[in-house]
């Protein structure tokens, strides 16, 4: 295969064709349908859903059950517009991202190559990527990925618009897949197809004239794709906490960006076994001073829920309560430094119960309500954190970045 398609090869595994209902969205030719100013002013949370039900591989951790599990939990916990009225708003009409939007972050040859590869995916049912980890594609992957990126961009549009009319704009939350933070400029990687957060950051700059964007990535794995996209950009600060030594093996503390972007990348690898205490300390001693010093116009969050103690793909021991605290503290920080402009993007999280419970508790945090984490978390699963190793890592990061 030529012109970017050489990355793709056929794998004779058939995709199960299942009936499903997609979320509502507008096509690229439709006008952008944002909520009214009044709706945005009334809302505390605005969220979008793109479940990518056609992008699925049976028995794969990054499967089509993930977003529906979250939506079901939100309904069960009465955290949807049906139960909360105007304070929670679902953004159901938005444009897909365009190829040009994606090409602001990814090489156009890759984007066009993936589009052409959909013909092969239709014939084979499933295709895999050579040499970049367990990333698959089905016949709907290209379209699903455009929808996911478009959902994130539309939330950025909504939050920025609201912030120009309110001192307390809603927080955005993109319940989307495929995830994005591993996707490098040249191609997909590690379950990720397009860099949703990176695309949204560029969109905020180009469509809204924002200058400085701060990206917080608390997924258990290093967001190497986002890291690489902005390594030389002094106006986008990328900060990642992740498990030391986990996939994909990047995110060393010595990686601080390069060229004009030197100093606007901060990687904090946490030792295995790190949990709530480690993350709270990292937030107060690393994340807060970095954000305050950088003074961003917008905070974007790669919200990975795979550091949960019940998640099967890593070895940190965050709890549902950890994620509640992160959402609450990030919202508070955004209000302090950038007028409350903040959007969360779903990344990892592969235990459906811990994923959905943690996202639901994140919603409670963003609403300013009490956590119900104690109803889900079981202290019996937890063990002593490696506090000395955590302290050493935090002190080293503070020294490197003069915090």
């Amino acid at each position: 295969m030529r012109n970017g398609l050489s990355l793709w090869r056929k794998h004779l595994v058939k995709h199960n064709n299942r009936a499903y209902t997609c979320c509502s969205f507008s096509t690229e030719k439709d006008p952008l349908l944002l909520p009214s100013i009044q709706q945005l002013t009334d809302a505390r949370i605005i969220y979008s859903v793109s479940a990518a039900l056609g992008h699925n591989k049976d028995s794969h951790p990054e499967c089509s059950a993930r977003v529906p599990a979250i939506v079901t939990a939100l309904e069960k916990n009465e955290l949807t517009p049906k139960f909360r009225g105007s304070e929670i708003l679902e953004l159901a009409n938005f444009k897909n991202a365009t190829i040009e939007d994606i090409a602001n972050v990814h090489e156009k040859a890759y984007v066009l190559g993936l589009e052409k590869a959909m013909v092969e995916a239709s014939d084979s049912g499933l295709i895999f990527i050579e040499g970049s980890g367990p990333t698959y594609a089905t016949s709907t992957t290209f379209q699903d990925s455009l929808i996911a990126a478009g959902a994130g961009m539309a939330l950025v549009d909504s939050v920025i618009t609201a912030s120009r009319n309110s001192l307390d704009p809603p927080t955005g939350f993109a319940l989307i897949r495929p995830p994005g933070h591993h996707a490098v400029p040249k191609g997909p990687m590690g379950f990720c197809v397009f860099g949703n957060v990176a695309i949204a950051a560029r969109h905020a700059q180009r469509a809204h004239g924002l200058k400085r964007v701060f990206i917080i990535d608390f997924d258990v794995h290093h967001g190497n794709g986002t890291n690489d996209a902005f390594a030389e950009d002094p106006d986008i600060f990328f900060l990642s906490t992740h498990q030391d030594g986990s996939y994909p093996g990047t995110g060393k503390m010595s990686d601080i960006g390069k060229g004009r972007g030197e100093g606007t990348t901060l990687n904090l690898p946490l030792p295995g076994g790190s949990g709530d205490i480690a993350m709270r300390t990292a937030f107060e001693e690393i994340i807060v001073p970095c954000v305050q010093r950088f003074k961003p116009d917008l905070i974007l969050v790669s919200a990975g829920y795979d550091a949960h103690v019940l998640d099967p793909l890593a070895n940190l021991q965050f709890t549902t309560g950890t994620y509640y605290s992160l959402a609450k503290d990030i919202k508070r920080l955004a209000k302090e430094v950038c007028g409350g402009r903040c959007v969360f993007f779903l990344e990892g999280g592969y235990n459906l119960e811990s994923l959905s419970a943690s996202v639901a508790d994140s919603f409670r945090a963003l609403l300013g309500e009490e956590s119900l984490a104690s109803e889900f978390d079981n202290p019996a699963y937890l063990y002593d954190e490696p506090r000395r190793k955590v302290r050493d890592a935090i002190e080293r990061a503070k020294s490197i970045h003069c915090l």
Side-chain angles (χ1 to χ4, degrees):
M1 294 162 58
R2 297 182 295 275
N3 298 327
L5 290 175
S6 58
L7 289 171
W8 300 87
R9 65 181 174 87
K10 189 182 300 181
H11 192 284
L12 297 178
V13 177
K14 289 293 181 181
H15 170 65
N16 287 335
N17 293 315
R18 297 174 176 172
Y20 59 88
T21 303
C22 288
C23 64
S24 174
F25 60 91
S26 61
T27 66
E28 292 177 11
K29 295 181 180 179
D30 291 337
L32 181 61
L33 300 174
L34 292 180
S36 68
I37 296 299
Q38 187 61 55
Q39 288 175 302
L40 291 173
T41 301
D42 290 343
R44 307 283 297 281
I45 295 175
I46 178 169
Y47 71 100
S48 56
V49 177
S50 181
L53 297 180
H55 175 77
N56 183 57
K57 180 181 183 299
D58 288 342
S59 302
H60 194 283
E62 208 296 287
C63 66
S64 62
R66 296 179 65 231
V67 171
I70 295 171
V71 173
T72 297
L74 294 178
E75 287 283 339
K76 181 179 178 181
N77 287 276
E78 301 185 354
L79 293 167
T80 63
K82 174 182 175 182
F83 300 99
R84 297 306 187 98
S86 61
E87 70 175 355
I88 299 180
L89 178 64
E90 180 179 1
L91 182 63
N93 297 290
F94 50 85
K95 295 197 299 183
N96 299 354
T98 66
I99 289 175
E100 288 69 29
D101 293 326
I102 308 300
N104 286 331
V105 171
H106 295 284
E107 292 185 4
K108 202 164 189 177
Y110 159 54
V111 182
L112 296 176
L114 176 59
E115 182 180 31
K116 292 177 182 177
M118 293 298 94
V119 176
E120 184 178 358
S122 295
D123 295 338
S124 302
L126 204 71
I127 56 178
F128 284 91
I129 301 161
E130 199 70 79
S132 65
T135 310
Y136 66 85
T138 67
S139 60
T140 67
T141 293
F142 182 74
Q143 185 71 4
D144 287 337
S145 299
L146 292 181
I147 295 171
M153 291 167 57
L155 284 175
V156 167
D157 292 335
S158 297
V159 169
I160 292 174
T161 299
S163 73
R164 290 171 176 158
N165 295 275
S166 171
L167 296 177
D168 188 20
T171 303
F173 208 121
L175 299 175
I176 58 175
R177 55 179 295 275
H181 73 152
H182 291 309
V184 296
K186 292 184 179 181
M189 186 175 178
F191 308 170
C192 300
V193 179
F194 294 148
N196 301 312
V197 165
I199 292 162
R202 281 284 182 247
H203 176 69
Q205 291 178 318
R206 299 185 179 195
H208 296 281
L210 301 191
K211 179 174 175 57
R212 299 163 78 82
V213 180
F214 200 104
I215 300 173
I216 300 170
D217 187 331
F218 57 70
D219 191 279
V220 78
H221 304 107
H222 177 240
N224 59 298
T226 316
N227 190 124
D228 292 355
F230 302 128
E232 298 185 58
D233 191 330
D235 293 324
I236 296 184
F237 197 114
F238 175 69
L239 189 155
S240 174
T241 61
H242 47 274
Q243 184 179 331
D244 192 11
S246 64
Y247 179 89
T250 53
K252 306 300 183 186
M253 205 175 295
S254 57
D255 182 355
I256 61 170
K258 54 188 176 181
R260 294 180 62 241
E262 184 173 335
T264 56
T265 296
L266 190 154
N267 285 299
L268 179 60
L270 295 171
S274 296
D276 186 73
I277 296 171
M279 195 63 226
R280 287 175 182 270
T281 306
F283 191 88
E284 293 301 327
E285 298 190 25
I286 300 292
I287 296 176
V288 169
C290 276
V291 172
Q292 290 175 336
R293 185 167 65 185
F294 189 69
K295 296 180 174 62
D297 301 307
L298 170 71
I299 294 176
L300 302 180
V301 184
S302 272
Y305 290 85
D306 44 3
H308 197 285
V309 66
L310 298 181
D311 198 273
L313 296 191
N315 188 33
L316 294 189
Q317 50 173 339
F318 288 11
T319 65
T320 308
T322 309
Y323 292 113
Y324 174 89
S325 295
L326 277 168
K328 179 181 179 180
D329 291 342
I330 290 172
K331 179 180 175 65
R332 169 180 54 80
L333 188 58
K335 189 171 183 179
E336 174 190 335
V337 300
C338 56
R341 290 185 291 270
C342 182
V343 181
F344 287 66
F345 291 71
L346 181 66
E347 297 284 1
Y350 308 105
N351 177 304
L352 297 185
E353 291 186 0
S354 62
L355 168 65
S356 55
S358 297
V359 173
D361 226 40
S362 296
F363 268 49
R364 291 189 190 93
L366 298 176
L367 290 168
E369 298 178 358
E370 292 297 318
S371 172
L372 295 183
S374 60
E375 297 182 7
F376 181 82
D377 291 335
N378 185 347
Y381 291 133
L382 305 177
Y383 50 94
D384 289 341
E385 295 186 39
R387 297 195 187 191
R388 183 181 296 275
K389 290 182 178 179
V390 169
R391 172 48 57 189
D392 288 346
I394 288 176
E395 290 301 327
R396 184 180 170 209
K398 289 169 69 173
S399 176
I400 290 172
H401 290 271
C402 301
L403 297 174

